[in-house]
Amino acid sequence: MSELFDRLRAGLGARYALEREAGAGGMAIVYRAHDVRHNRPVALKVVRPELAGALGIDRFLREIELAARLQHPHILPVFDSGALDEGTPTAVPWFVMPFVEGESLRHRLQREARLPIDDAVTLAGETADALAYAHTQGVVHRDIKPENILLSGGHAMVADFGVAKAVERGAAGDHAAGTSPQLTRMGFAVGTPQYMSPEQATGSDLVDARADQYSLGCVLHEMLTGAPPFTGATPQSVIAQSMTAPRPRAAKLRADVPAELERVVIRAMAADPAERFPDMAAFGAALRASRGGPSRGGRRGLLVGAAALAAIAALAGAWLGTRASGRHAVAPAAETIAILPFNASGPGVEVLSEGMVDLLSTNLQGVGGIRTVEPRAVLRQWEARSKSADGGVEQALALGRKLGAGSVVLGSAVSTGSRVRLAADLYAVGGERLGRAQVDGPADSVLGLVDRLSVTLLRDVWRSREPLPNLQISSLTTDSPAALRAYLEGEQAYRRVAFDSALTAYTRAIEVDSTFALAHLRRALVYGWTGGYGSDPSIQAAAAGFRFADRLPPRERRLLNGYRAFEQGRVQAIDSLKAFVTEYPDDLEGWYYYGEALFHLRHLAPVSPDSITAIFDRVLRADSSLVPAVIHQLNLAVQYRNRAQYDRSRRIFDRYASPALRHVEDVSAGIAWGPRPADTVFANAMTQRSGSVPVTAVGSIWRKPSATSDSVLELMRWAGRAGPQTPGFRIRALMARTYATVGMGRLEEALPMVDSLDALGPGAAAGAIAGPIGLGFAPATYGGDRLGRILSQLPTSGLKHYAQAFFYLSRGDVAGGRREVKAGLALGDTIGTTMQGMLVATDGWASLVAGDTAAGVAELRRGIAGVSGPNGGSMSAFLRFQLALALSARPETRDEGIRWLQYGFDDHTTYLPPLTFLALGQAWEAAGERDSAAYAYGRFVRLWDKADPPLQGRVREAREALTRLTAEPQRN
């Protein structure tokens, strides 16, 4: 596909900058690209060249044009379309859609097999809504399948409307014209056999919207049971079953499927279109009504279902009756509001200029379905506005339109010393004034005034018969004007990345009011950026905020919960923060900390670097000045040696970062790609606050394709010699070199370094001896009596029991290992949650050694999930590797195991990176991925080029695998 990539880049480069291939299906290849004009990521889809020649290009583009008119919350829109080299025999159609940050339903099914019933019904219902709308516009999808249902923020987005029909019509039209029978001579019918309706499979001219209903019914059956309704060795056998076989019953495969839901699925999958629901809207209604039905049939079930439907109808009628406009609790233009900075004048109210953006946003967010534009995005645009304009209403309306708001709030805060007056106007972005409010009161009751102002504005746009909600920001934050003032000053500094000033202001706020939970939370966030991940001040500040979390608004309370788990290094933080951004998709800090959790906890929950980078891209699109988000993109680009991504991130980074930070990145790039910096330059960079960045560059040597054991060790020797000669750095440098030497099979060479490392502290060298024995590539006699001596130095603790269990299990003594695990766990909470998790995972390893893979994997998962703290990654590396090996050895979990091996072992201070290449080669070969397997085996051979003679058997096995895969003899 490199030729097609080059053609696209040459033909479309001025409009779309291609980045990488993101996926491929039966009809199209998908590339991630950057829309140059609109500065956004997009998915550029190209019809496969082998199919393109059989299409009528004009007909194809007309169908895509019809699909582009669809506008629905659950339909992925078409941005653009065209044909590459149009008018030539090699023309290839293409179209552009948003690049969805998430996964497809297929990916989720591969991961979970079957979904919770509520999730399955929700996703199917959202897909049905999208299809019902499309059908009213005269568009039938024709290829509904899990691959074409994308999941964005937990919601369904249907992709590729028009593509199947375009390909089908193009093929049929050309065949009828006698010009290109390439597709139809194969019995061509567009769709996927497992989800294709019988009438579509037979090429019937009667294919209509009910074909989509059949396909969605098949998808829902798979979500509930883990498999499509019909499977077979050939497409023909699947199609034959769809036409003649009884419809499979989901409840027989899954007992908790409600009987009514099963009936809905079976009806949707009826072989005769006339027996299905009359339309997609009816299918969607029946689907939702079935959600709470009983799990067994019978007359009682039917009566309960009827009663439930009656209640739903009654509630729906009551709900509609409360909406004067039919659907809106507030005027439609007020559903998205941008609150702009107030004009502030008089003593003591200057902080209310930007402060009112925060305070009004907090009060109005979520009320009656209102969404307030994220304050940081508002203020970024406010600062960038043209100074030549008059600053009046027209400029405010233009800014509101730019922010995607339906309305804007303009206001003023005026102080006379003892009293404050707040006034505000709410304008639709088209110019209509929707509301006006003015309140005044004592200067020491500003928050109460904000509550009154909010309610008065809300009253003018309220369309529901329900009473106005009670807005009380004053009860959720602080009663102290001095604390509020300090907090708002901190917010101003925080937005400008002036962390020292922000910390001073937030600290002053909690000195005045120690129960001010928002100020505690902000201190935790600032400490996280300045003191490092997992720093004690950050953890302490988050804990203080948590004590007063009941005073926070629900949104901030949720964020604090996720942040606290993240600071503690618990993998549960990922799910918590993902749920937060799903509920609050416009919350910039939520997305930032979701990315932070994925980045820092990727050793416990491995994901691809592209997935993490995409989340930080989302943050940076809203505010490119968030330097920490760019730093992590640079970290990943260096670690995975992605120079193109690095250069893109540097362009943003260099606009905002300080000279000192830019210098550190220059050093890092020099180490990774050359030229290598001078010793003094490297030492200076290591003393900076971001001194860990060059260390990441040193560790990226593992992923350099030309790296050998000598080049790896030469770079590590240089880093140890050139770096700052502090005791801490010298220990880390020696440990990295020792473990690298061990990991490349040069065990005898490593032993003197093991002794040096052991002299620096008890336990520092234990892994360098025990690890190779546990993995079976070193004999039990490796290291002589060193391991026993090291273990004897350890005081009685959970760590000692873990080390001794490791000692027994590495020699195959399952009973001895489990005895030590039990003794360690008997110490209870005194050993901490991380060591408890390590011991549980060790018991899982014992199960693997004993031959019980299922129990071993389950215990390893449970134990590793309990590991926490910044050091949890390096401590649990061996056990995580055992889990990865077990997962990759089983066909049903191989993809997950490969993901662990690819992205779960980036800590260069362990001996595992070279061994992951060998394990990846074996896993990819078993999966039939020959090119990937050959690459991995080749990397292992290069890194084990000087392994000790007794270990050369592994190298020979890898060379033999390369010969199998490439049919080329490997030189010794």
Side-chain angles (χ1 to χ4, degrees), residues 717-737:
R717 277 192 293 268
W718 168 80
R721 183 187 67 251
Q725 297 304 299
T726 62
F729 177 79
R730 291 172 64 187
I731 292 174
R732 291 195 303 273
L734 177 59
M735 182 177 289
R737 190 156 58 92

Side-chain angles (χ1 to χ4, degrees), residues 555-852:
R555 184 170 181 161
E556 281 72 14
R557 189 161 58 243
R558 288 275 302 279
L559 181 58
L560 177 59
N561 288 337
Y563 180 81
R564 191 185 193 201
F566 161 62
E567 281 293 273
Q568 293 171 346
R570 291 188 286 123
V571 73
Q572 293 86 347
I574 294 175
D575 291 336
S576 177
L577 290 164
K578 183 178 181 180
F580 178 85
V581 297
T582 299
E583 185 167 350
Y584 303 109
D586 300 313
D587 193 292
L588 192 61
E589 281 177 358
W591 281 105
Y592 174 78
Y593 277 97
Y594 180 36
E596 280 276 286
L598 287 174
F599 176 83
H600 285 290
L601 300 173
R602 63 192 187 281
H603 53 277
L604 298 175
V607 293
S608 73
D610 287 348
S611 300
I612 304 173
T613 294
I615 290 174
F616 288 130
D617 276 339
R618 181 174 187 143
V619 174
L620 292 166
R621 283 194 296 272
D623 185 357
S624 60
S625 70
L626 266 173
V627 175
V630 194
I631 287 176
H632 288 328
Q633 287 189 331
L634 293 170
N635 294 155
L636 291 169
V638 169
Q639 194 159 50
Y640 289 88
R641 305 187 71 83
N642 185 340
R643 187 59 191 261
Q645 176 62 53
Y646 183 84
D647 290 342
R648 284 193 293 272
S649 298
R650 270 305 292 265
R651 285 193 287 272
I652 300 173
F653 179 80
D654 288 348
R655 289 204 300 268
Y656 300 102
S658 67
L661 288 176
R662 293 199 299 271
H663 169 69
V664 171
E665 280 300 332
D666 290 340
V667 172
S668 180
I671 295 171
W673 294 288
R676 185 182 295 178
D679 292 7
T680 54
V681 173
F682 175 69
N684 175 265
M686 290 296 298
T687 64
Q688 303 298 314
R689 175 178 286 174
S690 55
S692 62
V693 173
V695 174
T696 299
V698 173
S700 74
I701 185 68
W702 293 118
R703 294 186 179 274
K704 186 175 182 179
S706 61
T708 64
S709 61
D710 279 345
S711 66
V712 169
L713 294 177
E714 187 278 326
L715 180 63
M716 291 188 172
R717 277 192 293 268
W718 168 80
R721 183 187 67 251
Q725 297 304 299
T726 62
F729 177 79
R730 291 172 64 187
I731 292 174
R732 291 195 303 273
L734 177 59
M735 182 177 289
R737 190 156 58 92
T738 303
Y739 279 69
T741 307
V742 168
M744 293 184 292
R746 295 165 67 158
L747 302 182
E748 292 303 317
E749 182 181 342
L751 287 177
M753 289 184 278
V754 170
D755 292 336
S756 298
L757 198 57
D758 183 38
L760 297 174
I769 299 292
I773 298 174
L775 288 171
F777 69 87
T781 56
Y782 164 59
D785 63 351
R786 287 178 174 86
L787 184 57
R789 187 176 67 250
I790 291 170
L791 294 180
S792 68
Q793 297 171 5
L794 295 174
T796 300
S797 62
L799 176 61
K800 183 164 188 172
H801 287 297
Y802 163 70
Q804 289 177 326
F806 193 111
F807 177 83
Y808 285 121
L809 291 172
S810 67
R811 287 159 172 76
D813 185 348
V814 174
R818 284 191 158 144
R819 186 170 59 250
E820 292 296 334
V821 167
K822 184 177 180 180
L825 291 173
L827 297 176
D829 294 341
T830 61
I831 63 174
T833 56
T834 292
M835 186 50 63
Q836 287 176 339
M838 294 276 290
L839 289 167
V840 170
T842 303
D843 196 52
W845 178 31
S847 294
L848 294 182
V849 174
D852 189 345

